[in-house]
């Protein structure tokens, strides 16, 4: 998931009456609930928790969620486990460094428990957003808490260390068990409505990162090539997580938010999004991060959204790039470079387009700190409140 500078959290203020139009033929989805979620990242959640006691945290979250509900959102997707550490009381993962500044510090209150209660109070479904494999964004094990299991797994095949940081090894049965236990813990202990995995899977396509694991696989008679074996490792994890979620509560949904480039997901991240989207038993929904404008020369928004809509047999949500408002779009080509600079209604137009596109069941806005008293945000609020979905 893209990272950005945090804006002040005194946001979500005035609603403009600006409208937008769309030419796509279709009908609003009035029969089924159209999901309208906002991502709350770990660094945004940190702004709520750092230096705040339980009472202050609760009041701040209550104010934020009340506003989100009034503006038209019906779900919040909160990043409660970003780096093998947790914004909740866990038996498997230490307290997140972003809770108070130090990984493994005492958790004086349980943020997720409060978040769940307040979200439901304001008729918002609550989704626990998790990075299953990511341990750290750097390679320094000394920064991990003594209770972080990755520290005890240093120099073993349970972890992968590469330029991008430290990751759990998807080939490891112990890792898979840890992920499953973590998922069961959340679904058993908290009344979450959904679980979401982020787009981090294999951190590199280098053959070196898991050479020992692959050698052991072939020595034991394995016949898949390296790429297929890696995809199979991730597939087995995804399928086992889906089963684990349903074994605890069949009403809790499980989904994944991959990058928008399907081929890159498949060949570089070893994420077989087409399989997950088409075959039962992997996910309830898929939410590609279509962080492009209409004029993007490489992956124009409408074309990319249609590609996913035509592929997915599960529920399809689309993540939208509110964080790009007013900024140059570096990789959009000459035509799309200034699209977000020159227009203040792109996200609202994308929302309206998606409500009329067959097989799309919702939108996720990235991210909370991008919501503010500005034209782009106010146009989105207006579009959501005027829509029949």
């Amino acid at each position: 998931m893209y990272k950005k500078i945090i804006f002040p959290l005194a946001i979500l203020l005035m609603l403009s009456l600006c409208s937008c139009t769309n030419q796509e033929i279709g009908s609003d989805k009035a029969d089924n609930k159209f999901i309208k979620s906002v991502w709350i990242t770990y660094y945004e959640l940190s702004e709520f928790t750092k230096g705040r006691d339980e009472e202050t945290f609760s009041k701040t979250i209550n104010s934020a969620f009340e506003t989100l509900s009034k503006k038209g959102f019906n779900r919040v997707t909160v990043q409660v486990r970003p780096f093998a550490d947790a914004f909740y009381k866990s038996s498997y993962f230490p307290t997140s460094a972003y809770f108070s500044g130090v990984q493994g510090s005492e958790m004086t209150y349980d943020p997720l428990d409060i978040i769940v209660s307040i979200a439901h109070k304001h008729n918002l479904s609550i989704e626990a957003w998790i990075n299953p494999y990511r341990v750290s964004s750097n390679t320094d094990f000394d920064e991990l808490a003594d209770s972080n299991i990755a520290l005890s797994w240093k120099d073993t095949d349970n972890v992968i260390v590469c330029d991008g940081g430290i990751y759990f090894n998807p080939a490891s049965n112990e890792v898979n068990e840890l992920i499953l236990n973590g998922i069961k813990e959340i679904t058993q202990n908290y009344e979450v409505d959904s679980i979401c995995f982020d787009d981090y899977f294999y951190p590199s396509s280098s053959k070196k990162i898991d050479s020992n694991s692959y050698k052991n696989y072939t020595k034991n008679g394995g016949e898949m090539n390296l790429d297929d074996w890696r995809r199979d490792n991730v597939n087995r994890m995804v399928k086992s997580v889906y089963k684990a979620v349903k074994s605890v509560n069949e009403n809790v949904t499980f989904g994944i938010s991959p990058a928008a480039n399907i081929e890159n997901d498949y060949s570089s991240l070893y994420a077989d999004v087409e399989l997950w989207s088409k075959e039962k038993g992997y996910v309830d929904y898929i939410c590609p991060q279509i962080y492009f404008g209409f004029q993007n020369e490489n992956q124009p928004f409408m074309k990319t959204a249609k590609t996913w809509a035509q592929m997915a047999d599960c529920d399809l949500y689309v993540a939208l790039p509110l964080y790009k408002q007013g900024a140059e779009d570096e990789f959009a080509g000459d035509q799309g470079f200034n699209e977000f600079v020159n227009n203040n209604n792109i996200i609202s137009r994308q929302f309206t387009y998606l409500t009329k596109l067959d097989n799309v069941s919702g939108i996720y806005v990235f991210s909370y700190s991008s919501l503010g008293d500005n034209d782009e945000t106010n146009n989105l609020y207006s579009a959501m409140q005027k829509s029949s979905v």
Side-chain angles (χ1 to χ4, degrees):
M1 188 69 67
Y2 187 89
K3 299 179 182 178
K4 66 184 291 294
I5 299 173
I6 307 171
F7 292 101
L9 292 175
I11 57 177
L12 305 171
L13 303 174
M14 298 297 293
L15 173 63
S16 79
L17 297 176
C18 179
S19 64
C20 60
T21 59
N22 186 278
Q23 301 298 319
E24 180 71 12
I25 297 175
S27 59
D28 283 347
K29 301 163 180 63
D31 295 334
N32 298 308
K33 186 175 182 179
F34 192 85
I35 296 296
K36 288 163 280 189
S37 186
V38 58
W39 304 101
I40 300 180
T41 67
Y42 67 89
Y43 46 88
E44 291 166 340
L45 185 56
S46 180
E47 288 292 293
F48 286 104
T49 61
K50 276 188 179 179
R52 298 174 187 261
D53 59 18
E54 180 174 356
E55 181 179 1
T56 305
F57 173 78
S58 299
K59 287 181 178 179
T60 308
I61 286 291
N62 183 73
S63 177
F65 285 8
E66 181 179 22
T67 302
L68 289 172
S69 180
K70 288 180 178 178
K71 296 301 186 184
F73 289 101
N74 54 31
R75 171 175 289 184
V76 285
T77 302
V78 184
Q79 196 168 22
V80 297
R81 201 166 79 229
F83 292 100
D85 57 7
F87 276 95
Y88 57 92
K89 293 186 177 180
S90 173
S91 299
Y92 302 99
F93 302 95
T95 301
S96 176
Y98 294 88
F99 172 73
S100 63
V102 179
Q103 189 179 89
S105 63
E106 179 185 2
M107 184 169 282
T108 53
Y109 59 90
D110 190 328
L112 181 55
D113 186 56
I114 294 169
I115 285 169
V116 169
S117 176
I118 293 177
H120 289 161
K121 171 186 171 183
H122 293 294
N123 296 315
L124 296 167
S125 65
I126 176 68
E127 182 167 53
W129 169 18
I130 292 166
N131 291 79
Y133 292 131
R134 187 173 65 179
V135 176
S136 175
S137 58
N138 63 61
T139 58
D140 188 358
F141 281 86
D142 291 338
E143 292 188 6
L144 302 180
D146 291 342
S147 58
N148 194 316
I149 194 171
L151 188 60
S152 65
W153 282 347
K154 182 181 179 182
D155 299 323
T156 74
D157 287 339
N158 288 334
V159 293
I160 291 172
V161 181
C162 60
D163 291 341
I166 305 168
Y167 288 78
F168 290 125
N169 186 351
S172 167
N173 290 329
E174 289 180 277
V175 165
N176 200 55
E177 182 179 2
L178 174 67
I179 293 172
L180 291 180
N181 286 336
I183 293 301
K184 289 177 182 178
E185 179 178 57
I186 292 175
T187 51
Q188 288 171 345
N189 296 343
Y190 301 92
E191 293 184 1
V192 298
D193 302 287
S194 188
I195 301 286
C196 177
F197 278 2
D198 208 346
D199 58 343
Y200 290 83
F201 295 99
Y202 271 88
S204 169
S205 58
S206 169
K207 294 181 179 180
K208 297 179 181 180
I209 62 171
D210 54 358
S211 58
N212 288 335
S213 298
Y214 185 62
K215 285 178 183 177
N216 290 333
Y217 165 74
T218 56
K219 282 181 180 179
N220 290 320
E223 297 180 350
M224 284 185 283
N225 63 40
L226 178 62
D227 288 358
D228 288 341
W229 172 75
R230 285 176 172 175
R231 277 186 288 270
D232 186 63
N233 290 332
V234 178
N235 288 342
R236 286 187 293 107
M237 182 274 290
V238 171
K239 196 167 190 176
S240 61
V241 167
Y242 179 88
K243 184 177 180 180
V245 169
K246 300 304 179 182
S247 71
V248 176
N249 187 342
E250 63 179 9
N251 294 320
V252 174
T253 59
F254 170 57
I256 294 175
S257 181
N261 189 316
I262 297 171
E263 176 53 36
N264 190 64
D265 288 334
Y266 184 83
S267 60
S268 296
L269 300 177
Y270 307 99
D272 195 345
V273 296
E274 184 170 5
L275 175 70
W276 306 341
S277 300
K278 287 186 174 181
E279 291 195 14
K280 292 184 178 180
Y282 287 96
V283 297
D284 293 300
Y285 78 81
I286 202 85
C287 181
Q289 298 165 25
I290 306 183
Y291 294 159
F292 313 114
F294 293 100
Q295 298 173 17
N296 187 293
E297 294 178 16
N298 302 305
Q299 287 192 270
F301 176 81
M302 291 170 62
K303 180 180 179 181
T304 305
K306 285 181 179 178
T307 297
W308 280 92
Q310 292 166 358
M311 181 185 74
D313 286 335
C314 61
D315 282 341
L316 173 65
Y317 309 141
V318 174
L320 303 177
L322 186 62
Y323 70 92
K324 286 189 173 182
Q325 58 182 318
E328 295 172 343
D329 200 356
E330 183 178 0
F331 302 106
D334 292 340
Q335 187 176 2
F337 186 79
N338 284 313
E339 183 177 6
F340 288 91
V341 175
N342 297 331
N343 297 275
N344 61 16
N345 63 352
I346 293 176
I347 305 304
S348 60
R349 288 164 53 208
Q350 290 180 343
F351 167 79
T352 302
Y353 172 79
L354 292 170
T355 64
K356 299 178 183 299
L357 184 63
D358 288 342
N359 205 32
V360 175
S361 303
I363 58 102
Y364 283 45
V365 174
F366 192 85
S367 65
Y368 177 79
S369 59
S370 299
L371 293 167
D373 187 21
N374 56 70
D375 289 340
E376 186 77 70
T377 297
N378 289 329
N379 286 336
L380 172 63
Y381 290 155
S382 181
M384 287 198 302
Q385 293 190 343
K386 289 181 178 180
S387 173
S388 61
V389 298

